[in-house]
């Protein structure tokens, strides 16, 4: 992390877990455990049907509400989809795009990820753009080539004035939901590489200012070491975000709540 230049973000990804009726008990348990941090933005990304509930319950606990997906279209005959304008209208501040589960199960292409990120930015919502390599790609030493392609495709046509509003999440596919975390050195190497790509595309200042998160089996035990890396500005957390004590411990591991 480098709090002088960029925001620390700890974002939970609830995926398709938790009922609307479970939000209040969760936040009631989480709130007293959360450190009083001014510089760490704490976010919970919930299914679209739970956005209103999270916005209501999260407010007092200073938890921002995020969504997990958005349509690449503005409006119209897209049954089941939710537009960026609909999310913004409710007060959503963040939205995940290009999560590896959506890329794998819903054939979400890099072109779609780019369109979705642009729609969110038009509505003032921060896209959390997920990139990451498969185990095969890592073993073939193709990690940075793949990430380079994904980042350039996701940010294609996004203006320098909007890049600071974006958050990138480096999520090695082999580490998601597997209990296999990237080592702190691996996370740092790729996050630093991503910052280099942003520098190449947009220049030094935007690169220094953009928050780059690590995601992939981050938990209460390994968070501090991962977050201590200079180019890891936070985490995108799946499983551990479903347990209030674990999620609070990860926020505390940003180190700013301990004063
Ligand atoms: C994720 O789904 O983005 C994720 C990182 O999950 P987990 O923390 O469970 O690996």
């Amino acid at each position: 992390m480098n709090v002088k230049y960029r925001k620390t973000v700890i974002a939970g990804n609830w995926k398709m877990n938790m009922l609307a009726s479970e939000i209040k008990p969760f936040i009631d348990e989480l709130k007293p455990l959360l450190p009083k941090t001014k510089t760490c933005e704490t976010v919970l990304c919930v299914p679209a049907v739970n956005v209103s509930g999270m916005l209501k319950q999260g407010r007092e606990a200073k938890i921002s509400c995020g969504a997990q997906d958005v349509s690449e279209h503005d409006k119209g005959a897209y049954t089941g989809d939710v537009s960026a304008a609909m999310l913004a209208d409710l007060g959503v501040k963040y939205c995940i795009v290009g999560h590896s589960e959506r890329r794998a199960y819903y054939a979400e292409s890099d072109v779609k990820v780019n369109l979705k990120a642009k729609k969110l930015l038009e509505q003032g919502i921060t896209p959390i753009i997920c990139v990451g390599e498969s185990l095969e790609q890592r073993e073939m030493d193709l990690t940075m080539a793949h990430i380079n392609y994904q980042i350039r495709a996701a940010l294609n046509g996004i203006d320098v004035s909007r890049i600071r509003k974006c958050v990138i999440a480096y999520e090695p596919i082999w580490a998601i939901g597997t209990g296999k975390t990237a080592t702190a050195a691996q996370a740092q190497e790729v996050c630093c590489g991503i910052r280099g790509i942003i520098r190449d595309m947009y220049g030094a200042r935007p690169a220094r200012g953009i928050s780059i998160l690590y995601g992939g089996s981050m938990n209460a035990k390994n968070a501090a070491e991962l977050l201590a890396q200079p180019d890891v500005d936070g985490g995108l957390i799946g499983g551990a975000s479903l347990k209030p004590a674990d999620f609070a411990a990860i926020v505390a591991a940003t180190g700013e709540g301990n004063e």
Side-chain angles (χ1 to χ4, degrees), residues 112-183:
K112 262 196 188 179
V113 172
N114 174 247
L115 289 170
K116 289 180 178 195
K118 284 176 176 161
K119 291 294 171 206
L120 291 167
L121 288 166
E122 277 167 22
Q123 295 296 329
I125 297 172
T126 292
I128 301 176
I129 300 167
C130 301
V131 296
E133 81 287 2
S134 65
L135 187 57
E136 231 181 357
Q137 287 167 324
R138 176 159 281 272
E139 285 172 352
M140 290 168 74
D141 207 14
L142 290 172
T143 299
M144 277 324 295
H146 179 67
I147 301 272
N148 184 43
Y149 178 81
Q150 283 189 315
I151 294 279
R152 286 177 192 274
L155 299 178
N156 183 35
I158 293 177
D159 200 62
V160 66
S161 63
R162 286 192 159 158
I163 191 66
R164 270 200 84 146
K165 184 93 185 149
C166 297
V167 167
I168 309 287
Y170 166 53
E171 297 212 302
I173 298 169
W174 49 271
I176 296 177
T178 58
K180 274 189 213 149
T181 319
T183 63

Side-chain angles (χ1 to χ4, degrees), residues 13 15 99 101 171 175-178 215-218 236-240:
N13 174 13
K15 311 194 185 190
H99 192 280
E101 287 154 15
E171 297 212 302
I176 296 177
T178 58
S217 299
M218 190 187 268
L236 182 56
I237 296 116

Side-chain angles (χ1 to χ4, degrees), residues 9-192:
V9 180
I10 296 294
N13 174 13
W14 275 7
K15 311 194 185 190
M16 200 173 73
N17 294 297
M18 306 290 270
L19 303 173
S21 57
E22 293 173 305
I23 299 173
K24 186 175 180 327
F26 182 95
I27 299 292
D28 286 347
E29 195 179 331
L30 175 65
K31 198 177 152 210
L33 303 174
L34 279 178
K36 290 192 186 2
T37 163
K38 289 197 186 81
T39 49
C40 175
E41 173 97 356
T42 307
V43 186
L44 281 169
C45 299
V46 299
V49 289
N50 288 346
V51 158
S52 296
M54 181 52 73
L55 281 162
K56 184 166 172 239
Q57 301 301 335
R59 198 167 296 130
E60 228 194 290
K62 295 197 169 42
I63 293 169
S64 297
C65 179
Q68 298 175 5
D69 186 36
V70 68
S71 171
E72 69 271 31
H73 303 288
D74 283 327
K75 65 189 296 190
Y78 300 100
T79 302
D81 274 4
V82 172
S83 73
M86 289 170 183
L87 295 177
D89 187 44
L90 291 175
V92 167
K93 285 181 72 178
Y94 290 84
C95 181
I96 297 169
V97 287
H99 192 280
S100 63
E101 287 154 15
R102 293 211 62 87
R103 291 181 191 257
Y105 308 147
Y106 304 95
E108 195 154 296
S109 66
D110 290 299
V111 171
K112 262 196 188 179
V113 172
N114 174 247
L115 289 170
K116 289 180 178 195
K118 284 176 176 161
K119 291 294 171 206
L120 291 167
L121 288 166
E122 277 167 22
Q123 295 296 329
I125 297 172
T126 292
I128 301 176
I129 300 167
C130 301
V131 296
E133 81 287 2
S134 65
L135 187 57
E136 231 181 357
Q137 287 167 324
R138 176 159 281 272
E139 285 172 352
M140 290 168 74
D141 207 14
L142 290 172
T143 299
M144 277 324 295
H146 179 67
I147 301 272
N148 184 43
Y149 178 81
Q150 283 189 315
I151 294 279
R152 286 177 192 274
L155 299 178
N156 183 35
I158 293 177
D159 200 62
V160 66
S161 63
R162 286 192 159 158
I163 191 66
R164 270 200 84 146
K165 184 93 185 149
C166 297
V167 167
I168 309 287
Y170 166 53
E171 297 212 302
I173 298 169
W174 49 271
I176 296 177
T178 58
K180 274 189 213 149
T181 319
T183 63
Q186 286 171 327
Q188 166 59 20
E189 187 187 11
V190 179
C191 290
C192 177

